[in-house]
Amino acid sequence: MSTPSPHSLSRSQVWLLAARPKTLPAAAAPVILGSALAVHDGVFKWLPALAALLGALLIQVGTNFANDYFDFKKGADTTERLGPVRVTQAGLLPPEKVARGMWFIFGLATLTGIYLVLVAGWPVILIGIFSILAGIAYTGGPYPLGYNGLGDLFVFIFFGLIAVSGTYYVQAISLTTTVLLASIPIGLLATAILVVNNLRDIETDLKAGKGTLAVRLGEKGTRLEFLVLIAAAYLLPALLVVLDIFPLESLLILVSLLRAVPLVNFVFKEKGRPLNKALADTGRVELEFALLFSAGLLIS
């Protein structure tokens, strides 16, 4: 069966394409783990957990709209693009509509955040403001993070440390060292998703003057970065089990190596458009890792 042309899509399908649903596991995984940590510690609250999940998904979609809009305006998205279709570059939506969609989604995220502020207080205000600003600043503003080699650090902090810890905090109104440590491997895997994306786009980003960390490291260095991120995401929890910080059942995460090991091999062999498959698979590895880690915590 042939794939339908993007130009044959309905308006709702175009907006769904712009939302890039395949990126949403990176937003859901840390919330799942943060909530599992809350259950493990006996502080789980389902309404704040649900609001944290909704807020995380909205911020991810808003960031995707922002990337679509700002990359087009900066000339980074061209006809040579190897990644999934961007609606602005493809002419499916005018840039002004995508920008309005971005602000609308971030507005919905703000409404969700107001509830969480009422539940958990002023720290949520800071988390929300900085998360939305970072989503815009990744490709927008006078010093876009993604264009200046800071995207990897941004993803690690916001999709790992802040997302897991923030989810736990809105339920427990406190943080523990264990929660902070648990957020690290999720941040590493979220960063690995970005690394695959930027590895695929090295040549086109170089032409567009987009100075991602992958452009600076080159293909060999970027593949090594990907390997280090994946390996560290599994080795850290194993070490913490040995140190009796994480329960033994946390090692359920090792099941997801069945997908992670072939993925690393694939990333080291392929380049360009075939890495779109690796991009989706890295998201699946992160989601599976979070689910297995969470299951281990609940069993323990």
Side-chain angles (χ1 to χ4, degrees), residues 145-187:
L145 301 173
Y147 284 64
N148 290 282
L150 296 174
D152 301 55
L153 180 62
F154 151 80
V155 168
F156 174 73
I157 291 173
F158 284 92
F159 287 86
L161 306 185
I162 290 179
V164 175
S165 300
T167 299
Y168 184 92
Y169 181 83
V170 298
Q171 298 173 66
I173 320 300
S174 64
L175 286 176
T176 68
T177 301
T178 301
V179 171
L180 293 171
L181 290 171
S183 70
I184 294 174
I186 289 295

mmCIF file of all heavy atoms in Angstrom, residues 145-187:
data_model
loop_
_atom_site.group_PDB
_atom_site.id
_atom_site.type_symbol
_atom_site.label_atom_id
_atom_site.label_comp_id
_atom_site.label_asym_id
_atom_site.label_seq_id
_atom_site.Cartn_x
_atom_site.Cartn_y
_atom_site.Cartn_z
ATOM 1 N N LEU A 145 19.147 27.419 21.458
ATOM 2 C CA LEU A 145 19.974 26.388 22.086
ATOM 3 C C LEU A 145 20.394 25.315 21.085
ATOM 4 O O LEU A 145 21.551 24.886 21.065
ATOM 5 C CB LEU A 145 19.196 25.745 23.236
ATOM 6 C CG LEU A 145 18.730 26.683 24.351
ATOM 7 C CD1 LEU A 145 17.836 25.926 25.333
ATOM 8 C CD2 LEU A 145 19.912 27.290 25.073
ATOM 9 N N GLY A 146 19.450 24.880 20.267
ATOM 10 C CA GLY A 146 19.734 23.811 19.321
ATOM 11 C C GLY A 146 20.721 24.189 18.243
ATOM 12 O O GLY A 146 21.364 23.322 17.642
ATOM 13 N N TYR A 147 20.871 25.487 17.985
ATOM 14 C CA TYR A 147 21.772 25.966 16.941
ATOM 15 C C TYR A 147 23.174 26.232 17.491
ATOM 16 O O TYR A 147 24.084 26.552 16.735
ATOM 17 C CB TYR A 147 21.231 27.264 16.332
ATOM 18 C CG TYR A 147 20.076 27.089 15.387
ATOM 19 C CD1 TYR A 147 18.858 26.591 15.826
ATOM 20 C CD2 TYR A 147 20.189 27.418 14.038
ATOM 21 C CE1 TYR A 147 17.789 26.425 14.977
ATOM 22 C CE2 TYR A 147 19.129 27.261 13.163
ATOM 23 C CZ TYR A 147 17.923 26.761 13.644
ATOM 24 O OH TYR A 147 16.859 26.592 12.796
ATOM 25 N N ASN A 148 23.324 26.118 18.804
ATOM 26 C CA ASN A 148 24.594 26.481 19.428
ATOM 27 C C ASN A 148 25.158 25.360 20.313
ATOM 28 O O ASN A 148 25.876 25.621 21.281
ATOM 29 C CB ASN A 148 24.410 27.758 20.247
ATOM 30 C CG ASN A 148 24.183 28.969 19.368
ATOM 31 O OD1 ASN A 148 25.108 29.524 18.791
ATOM 32 N ND2 ASN A 148 22.921 29.386 19.239
ATOM 33 N N GLY A 149 24.792 24.126 19.972
ATOM 34 C CA GLY A 149 25.385 22.977 20.636
ATOM 35 C C GLY A 149 24.883 22.701 22.039
ATOM 36 O O GLY A 149 25.468 21.873 22.747
ATOM 37 N N LEU A 150 23.790 23.368 22.461
ATOM 38 C CA LEU A 150 23.299 23.204 23.825
ATOM 39 C C LEU A 150 22.026 22.357 23.905
ATOM 40 O O LEU A 150 21.474 22.172 24.985
ATOM 41 C CB LEU A 150 23.029 24.579 24.452
ATOM 42 C CG LEU A 150 24.270 25.470 24.636
ATOM 43 C CD1 LEU A 150 23.853 26.847 25.133
ATOM 44 C CD2 LEU A 150 25.253 24.823 25.602
ATOM 45 N N GLY A 151 21.581 21.867 22.766
ATOM 46 C CA GLY A 151 20.338 21.103 22.743
ATOM 47 C C GLY A 151 20.400 19.840 23.585
ATOM 48 O O GLY A 151 19.439 19.488 24.268
ATOM 49 N N ASP A 152 21.533 19.156 23.552
ATOM 50 C CA ASP A 152 21.670 17.909 24.306
ATOM 51 C C ASP A 152 21.529 18.164 25.808
ATOM 52 O O ASP A 152 20.840 17.411 26.520
ATOM 53 C CB ASP A 152 23.022 17.259 24.012
ATOM 54 C CG ASP A 152 23.219 16.956 22.542
ATOM 55 O OD1 ASP A 152 23.085 17.887 21.726
ATOM 56 O OD2 ASP A 152 23.505 15.804 22.190
ATOM 57 N N LEU A 153 22.174 19.213 26.281
ATOM 58 C CA LEU A 153 22.088 19.559 27.699
ATOM 59 C C LEU A 153 20.663 19.961 28.069
ATOM 60 O O LEU A 153 20.152 19.560 29.127
ATOM 61 C CB LEU A 153 23.049 20.707 28.016
ATOM 62 C CG LEU A 153 23.076 21.203 29.471
ATOM 63 C CD1 LEU A 153 23.516 20.083 30.403
ATOM 64 C CD2 LEU A 153 23.997 22.411 29.600
ATOM 65 N N PHE A 154 20.016 20.724 27.193
ATOM 66 C CA PHE A 154 18.630 21.150 27.414
ATOM 67 C C PHE A 154 17.706 19.945 27.574
ATOM 68 O O PHE A 154 16.897 19.872 28.498
ATOM 69 C CB PHE A 154 18.179 22.028 26.239
ATOM 70 C CG PHE A 154 16.710 21.983 25.926
ATOM 71 C CD1 PHE A 154 15.798 22.718 26.663
ATOM 72 C CD2 PHE A 154 16.240 21.213 24.866
ATOM 73 C CE1 PHE A 154 14.446 22.670 26.374
ATOM 74 C CE2 PHE A 154 14.897 21.162 24.569
ATOM 75 C CZ PHE A 154 13.990 21.902 25.332
ATOM 76 N N VAL A 155 17.833 18.966 26.691
ATOM 77 C CA VAL A 155 16.968 17.788 26.740
ATOM 78 C C VAL A 155 17.235 16.980 28.008
ATOM 79 O O VAL A 155 16.300 16.524 28.681
ATOM 80 C CB VAL A 155 17.165 16.914 25.480
ATOM 81 C CG1 VAL A 155 16.506 15.554 25.648
ATOM 82 C CG2 VAL A 155 16.599 17.630 24.260
ATOM 83 N N PHE A 156 18.507 16.792 28.356
ATOM 84 C CA PHE A 156 18.849 16.034 29.553
ATOM 85 C C PHE A 156 18.228 16.662 30.804
ATOM 86 O O PHE A 156 17.652 15.966 31.646
ATOM 87 C CB PHE A 156 20.370 15.959 29.714
ATOM 88 C CG PHE A 156 20.810 15.310 31.002
ATOM 89 C CD1 PHE A 156 20.691 13.938 31.175
ATOM 90 C CD2 PHE A 156 21.320 16.077 32.033
ATOM 91 C CE1 PHE A 156 21.073 13.333 32.369
ATOM 92 C CE2 PHE A 156 21.712 15.483 33.228
ATOM 93 C CZ PHE A 156 21.596 14.106 33.401
ATOM 94 N N ILE A 157 18.307 17.981 30.902
ATOM 95 C CA ILE A 157 17.799 18.667 32.088
ATOM 96 C C ILE A 157 16.273 18.642 32.133
ATOM 97 O O ILE A 157 15.671 18.249 33.145
ATOM 98 C CB ILE A 157 18.307 20.116 32.133
ATOM 99 C CG1 ILE A 157 19.816 20.130 32.392
ATOM 100 C CG2 ILE A 157 17.580 20.920 33.218
ATOM 101 C CD1 ILE A 157 20.443 21.505 32.291
ATOM 102 N N PHE A 158 15.625 19.031 31.032
ATOM 103 C CA PHE A 158 14.180 19.220 31.065
ATOM 104 C C PHE A 158 13.392 17.930 30.860
ATOM 105 O O PHE A 158 12.298 17.783 31.411
ATOM 106 C CB PHE A 158 13.754 20.269 30.040
ATOM 107 C CG PHE A 158 14.060 21.667 30.484
ATOM 108 C CD1 PHE A 158 15.250 22.281 30.142
ATOM 109 C CD2 PHE A 158 13.171 22.369 31.282
ATOM 110 C CE1 PHE A 158 15.551 23.571 30.574
ATOM 111 C CE2 PHE A 158 13.455 23.650 31.719
ATOM 112 C CZ PHE A 158 14.649 24.255 31.363
ATOM 113 N N PHE A 159 13.926 16.981 30.069
ATOM 114 C CA PHE A 159 13.206 15.730 29.830
ATOM 115 C C PHE A 159 13.681 14.606 30.746
ATOM 116 O O PHE A 159 13.195 13.486 30.649
ATOM 117 C CB PHE A 159 13.336 15.306 28.363
ATOM 118 C CG PHE A 159 12.528 16.154 27.435
ATOM 119 C CD1 PHE A 159 13.040 17.339 26.927
ATOM 120 C CD2 PHE A 159 11.244 15.790 27.077
ATOM 121 C CE1 PHE A 159 12.286 18.144 26.084
ATOM 122 C CE2 PHE A 159 10.484 16.584 26.225
ATOM 123 C CZ PHE A 159 11.010 17.763 25.731
ATOM 124 N N GLY A 160 14.627 14.922 31.614
ATOM 125 C CA GLY A 160 15.107 13.956 32.580
ATOM 126 C C GLY A 160 14.965 14.473 33.991
ATOM 127 O O GLY A 160 14.002 14.175 34.693
ATOM 128 N N LEU A 161 15.914 15.305 34.404
ATOM 129 C CA LEU A 161 15.957 15.766 35.784
ATOM 130 C C LEU A 161 14.676 16.471 36.208
ATOM 131 O O LEU A 161 14.070 16.135 37.231
ATOM 132 C CB LEU A 161 17.159 16.714 35.975
ATOM 133 C CG LEU A 161 18.542 16.182 35.565
ATOM 134 C CD1 LEU A 161 19.616 17.192 35.940
ATOM 135 C CD2 LEU A 161 18.827 14.831 36.202
ATOM 136 N N ILE A 162 14.256 17.462 35.441
ATOM 137 C CA ILE A 162 13.094 18.260 35.834
ATOM 138 C C ILE A 162 11.795 17.482 35.671
ATOM 139 O O ILE A 162 10.908 17.545 36.531
ATOM 140 C CB ILE A 162 13.055 19.578 35.037
ATOM 141 C CG1 ILE A 162 14.202 20.493 35.495
ATOM 142 C CG2 ILE A 162 11.711 20.287 35.200
ATOM 143 C CD1 ILE A 162 14.285 21.809 34.775
ATOM 144 N N ALA A 163 11.660 16.729 34.594
ATOM 145 C CA ALA A 163 10.396 16.025 34.336
ATOM 146 C C ALA A 163 10.119 14.955 35.389
ATOM 147 O O ALA A 163 9.001 14.857 35.915
ATOM 148 C CB ALA A 163 10.418 15.410 32.938
ATOM 149 N N VAL A 164 11.110 14.128 35.699
ATOM 150 C CA VAL A 164 10.906 13.083 36.704
ATOM 151 C C VAL A 164 10.729 13.702 38.095
ATOM 152 O O VAL A 164 9.782 13.392 38.825
ATOM 153 C CB VAL A 164 12.088 12.088 36.719
ATOM 154 C CG1 VAL A 164 11.922 11.078 37.862
ATOM 155 C CG2 VAL A 164 12.192 11.354 35.390
ATOM 156 N N SER A 165 11.645 14.607 38.443
ATOM 157 C CA SER A 165 11.604 15.218 39.778
ATOM 158 C C SER A 165 10.354 16.070 39.954
ATOM 159 O O SER A 165 9.736 16.069 41.028
ATOM 160 C CB SER A 165 12.853 16.075 39.994
ATOM 161 O OG SER A 165 14.026 15.292 39.888
ATOM 162 N N GLY A 166 9.970 16.796 38.911
ATOM 163 C CA GLY A 166 8.781 17.643 38.991
ATOM 164 C C GLY A 166 7.519 16.826 39.174
ATOM 165 O O GLY A 166 6.626 17.194 39.953
ATOM 166 N N THR A 167 7.428 15.691 38.468
ATOM 167 C CA THR A 167 6.263 14.815 38.614
ATOM 168 C C THR A 167 6.157 14.291 40.040
ATOM 169 O O THR A 167 5.070 14.262 40.634
ATOM 170 C CB THR A 167 6.365 13.629 37.631
ATOM 171 O OG1 THR A 167 6.383 14.125 36.291
ATOM 172 C CG2 THR A 167 5.186 12.678 37.804
ATOM 173 N N TYR A 168 7.278 13.877 40.590
ATOM 174 C CA TYR A 168 7.288 13.383 41.969
ATOM 175 C C TYR A 168 6.942 14.516 42.938
ATOM 176 O O TYR A 168 6.155 14.323 43.869
ATOM 177 C CB TYR A 168 8.664 12.812 42.299
ATOM 178 C CG TYR A 168 8.772 12.190 43.674
ATOM 179 C CD1 TYR A 168 8.527 10.837 43.864
ATOM 180 C CD2 TYR A 168 9.131 12.954 44.781
ATOM 181 C CE1 TYR A 168 8.619 10.259 45.127
ATOM 182 C CE2 TYR A 168 9.225 12.393 46.043
ATOM 183 C CZ TYR A 168 8.979 11.047 46.211
ATOM 184 O OH TYR A 168 9.073 10.475 47.466
ATOM 185 N N TYR A 169 7.492 15.689 42.692
ATOM 186 C CA TYR A 169 7.314 16.808 43.627
ATOM 187 C C TYR A 169 5.850 17.232 43.752
ATOM 188 O O TYR A 169 5.376 17.518 44.860
ATOM 189 C CB TYR A 169 8.159 17.998 43.187
ATOM 190 C CG TYR A 169 8.042 19.168 44.137
ATOM 191 C CD1 TYR A 169 8.807 19.226 45.295
ATOM 192 C CD2 TYR A 169 7.135 20.197 43.899
ATOM 193 C CE1 TYR A 169 8.677 20.287 46.194
ATOM 194 C CE2 TYR A 169 6.993 21.254 44.778
ATOM 195 C CZ TYR A 169 7.769 21.286 45.925
ATOM 196 O OH TYR A 169 7.625 22.322 46.813
ATOM 197 N N VAL A 170 5.120 17.284 42.630
ATOM 198 C CA VAL A 170 3.736 17.757 42.708
ATOM 199 C C VAL A 170 2.845 16.774 43.467
ATOM 200 O O VAL A 170 1.725 17.124 43.850
ATOM 201 C CB VAL A 170 3.137 18.036 41.304
ATOM 202 C CG1 VAL A 170 3.915 19.138 40.597
ATOM 203 C CG2 VAL A 170 3.092 16.765 40.451
ATOM 204 N N GLN A 171 3.341 15.574 43.690
ATOM 205 C CA GLN A 171 2.581 14.596 44.480
ATOM 206 C C GLN A 171 3.064 14.531 45.932
ATOM 207 O O GLN A 171 2.267 14.451 46.859
ATOM 208 C CB GLN A 171 2.704 13.214 43.834
ATOM 209 C CG GLN A 171 2.123 13.174 42.425
ATOM 210 C CD GLN A 171 2.387 11.858 41.726
ATOM 211 O OE1 GLN A 171 1.879 10.817 42.134
ATOM 212 N NE2 GLN A 171 3.183 11.893 40.665
ATOM 213 N N ALA A 172 4.383 14.597 46.131
ATOM 214 C CA ALA A 172 4.951 14.431 47.476
ATOM 215 C C ALA A 172 5.243 15.756 48.162
ATOM 216 O O ALA A 172 5.409 15.804 49.376
ATOM 217 C CB ALA A 172 6.233 13.613 47.385
ATOM 218 N N ILE A 173 5.333 16.857 47.390
ATOM 219 C CA ILE A 173 5.753 18.184 47.878
ATOM 220 C C ILE A 173 7.118 18.065 48.558
ATOM 221 O O ILE A 173 7.414 18.746 49.558
ATOM 222 C CB ILE A 173 4.702 18.797 48.851
ATOM 223 C CG1 ILE A 173 3.295 18.504 48.358
ATOM 224 C CG2 ILE A 173 4.906 20.314 48.937
ATOM 225 C CD1 ILE A 173 2.960 19.056 46.992
ATOM 226 N N SER A 174 7.943 17.195 48.020
ATOM 227 C CA SER A 174 9.315 17.021 48.512
ATOM 228 C C SER A 174 10.083 16.231 47.458
ATOM 229 O O SER A 174 9.485 15.709 46.508
ATOM 230 C CB SER A 174 9.336 16.269 49.848
ATOM 231 O OG SER A 174 8.838 14.953 49.683
ATOM 232 N N LEU A 175 11.399 16.170 47.621
ATOM 233 C CA LEU A 175 12.237 15.387 46.726
ATOM 234 C C LEU A 175 13.184 14.521 47.553
ATOM 235 O O LEU A 175 13.494 14.853 48.701
ATOM 236 C CB LEU A 175 13.049 16.281 45.785
ATOM 237 C CG LEU A 175 12.300 16.950 44.642
ATOM 238 C CD1 LEU A 175 13.244 17.873 43.866
ATOM 239 C CD2 LEU A 175 11.709 15.910 43.698
ATOM 240 N N THR A 176 13.633 13.428 46.958
ATOM 241 C CA THR A 176 14.615 12.570 47.609
ATOM 242 C C THR A 176 15.804 12.372 46.675
ATOM 243 O O THR A 176 15.700 12.583 45.459
ATOM 244 C CB THR A 176 14.016 11.193 47.946
ATOM 245 O OG1 THR A 176 13.749 10.488 46.715
ATOM 246 C CG2 THR A 176 12.718 11.331 48.738
ATOM 247 N N THR A 177 16.903 11.949 47.241
ATOM 248 C CA THR A 177 18.091 11.655 46.433
ATOM 249 C C THR A 177 17.801 10.549 45.430
ATOM 250 O O THR A 177 18.270 10.588 44.286
ATOM 251 C CB THR A 177 19.256 11.243 47.343
ATOM 252 O OG1 THR A 177 19.528 12.298 48.268
ATOM 253 C CG2 THR A 177 20.513 10.967 46.529
ATOM 254 N N THR A 178 17.009 9.565 45.840
ATOM 255 C CA THR A 178 16.667 8.456 44.945
ATOM 256 C C THR A 178 15.929 8.945 43.708
ATOM 257 O O THR A 178 16.188 8.486 42.591
ATOM 258 C CB THR A 178 15.800 7.421 45.690
ATOM 259 O OG1 THR A 178 16.518 6.932 46.829
ATOM 260 C CG2 THR A 178 15.448 6.250 44.783
ATOM 261 N N VAL A 179 15.012 9.887 43.891
ATOM 262 C CA VAL A 179 14.267 10.436 42.754
ATOM 263 C C VAL A 179 15.221 11.151 41.796
ATOM 264 O O VAL A 179 15.139 10.968 40.571
ATOM 265 C CB VAL A 179 13.175 11.402 43.251
ATOM 266 C CG1 VAL A 179 12.541 12.143 42.077
ATOM 267 C CG2 VAL A 179 12.104 10.638 44.029
ATOM 268 N N LEU A 180 16.113 11.940 42.332
ATOM 269 C CA LEU A 180 17.068 12.662 41.491
ATOM 270 C C LEU A 180 17.958 11.689 40.721
ATOM 271 O O LEU A 180 18.229 11.889 39.528
ATOM 272 C CB LEU A 180 17.909 13.604 42.344
ATOM 273 C CG LEU A 180 17.153 14.773 42.987
ATOM 274 C CD1 LEU A 180 18.050 15.513 43.974
ATOM 275 C CD2 LEU A 180 16.635 15.730 41.923
ATOM 276 N N LEU A 181 18.409 10.637 41.381
ATOM 277 C CA LEU A 181 19.250 9.645 40.713
ATOM 278 C C LEU A 181 18.465 8.898 39.637
ATOM 279 O O LEU A 181 18.988 8.609 38.554
ATOM 280 C CB LEU A 181 19.807 8.655 41.737
ATOM 281 C CG LEU A 181 20.861 9.210 42.708
ATOM 282 C CD1 LEU A 181 21.170 8.191 43.797
ATOM 283 C CD2 LEU A 181 22.133 9.597 41.963
ATOM 284 N N ALA A 182 17.204 8.600 39.916
ATOM 285 C CA ALA A 182 16.372 7.882 38.947
ATOM 286 C C ALA A 182 16.100 8.715 37.707
ATOM 287 O O ALA A 182 15.840 8.170 36.626
ATOM 288 C CB ALA A 182 15.051 7.462 39.601
ATOM 289 N N SER A 183 16.147 10.028 37.852
ATOM 290 C CA SER A 183 15.881 10.902 36.706
ATOM 291 C C SER A 183 17.028 10.921 35.702
ATOM 292 O O SER A 183 16.833 11.259 34.538
ATOM 293 C CB SER A 183 15.604 12.325 37.195
ATOM 294 O OG SER A 183 16.784 12.933 37.699
ATOM 295 N N ILE A 184 18.219 10.538 36.145
ATOM 296 C CA ILE A 184 19.399 10.640 35.272
ATOM 297 C C ILE A 184 19.316 9.703 34.069
ATOM 298 O O ILE A 184 19.510 10.156 32.925
ATOM 299 C CB ILE A 184 20.686 10.408 36.081
ATOM 300 C CG1 ILE A 184 20.886 11.548 37.090
ATOM 301 C CG2 ILE A 184 21.900 10.311 35.149
ATOM 302 C CD1 ILE A 184 22.057 11.352 38.036
ATOM 303 N N PRO A 185 19.062 8.393 34.253
ATOM 304 C CA PRO A 185 19.006 7.531 33.066
ATOM 305 C C PRO A 185 17.903 7.904 32.082
ATOM 306 O O PRO A 185 18.084 7.772 30.866
ATOM 307 C CB PRO A 185 18.789 6.122 33.644
ATOM 308 C CG PRO A 185 18.336 6.321 35.043
ATOM 309 C CD PRO A 185 18.938 7.600 35.494
ATOM 310 N N ILE A 186 16.774 8.401 32.585
ATOM 311 C CA ILE A 186 15.711 8.840 31.679
ATOM 312 C C ILE A 186 16.186 10.047 30.867
ATOM 313 O O ILE A 186 15.934 10.152 29.658
ATOM 314 C CB ILE A 186 14.433 9.185 32.476
ATOM 315 C CG1 ILE A 186 13.786 7.911 33.017
ATOM 316 C CG2 ILE A 186 13.426 9.937 31.602
ATOM 317 C CD1 ILE A 186 13.267 6.962 31.962
ATOM 318 N N GLY A 187 16.892 10.950 31.517
ATOM 319 C CA GLY A 187 17.452 12.093 30.799
ATOM 320 C C GLY A 187 18.462 11.672 29.749
ATOM 321 O O GLY A 187 18.522 12.244 28.656
#
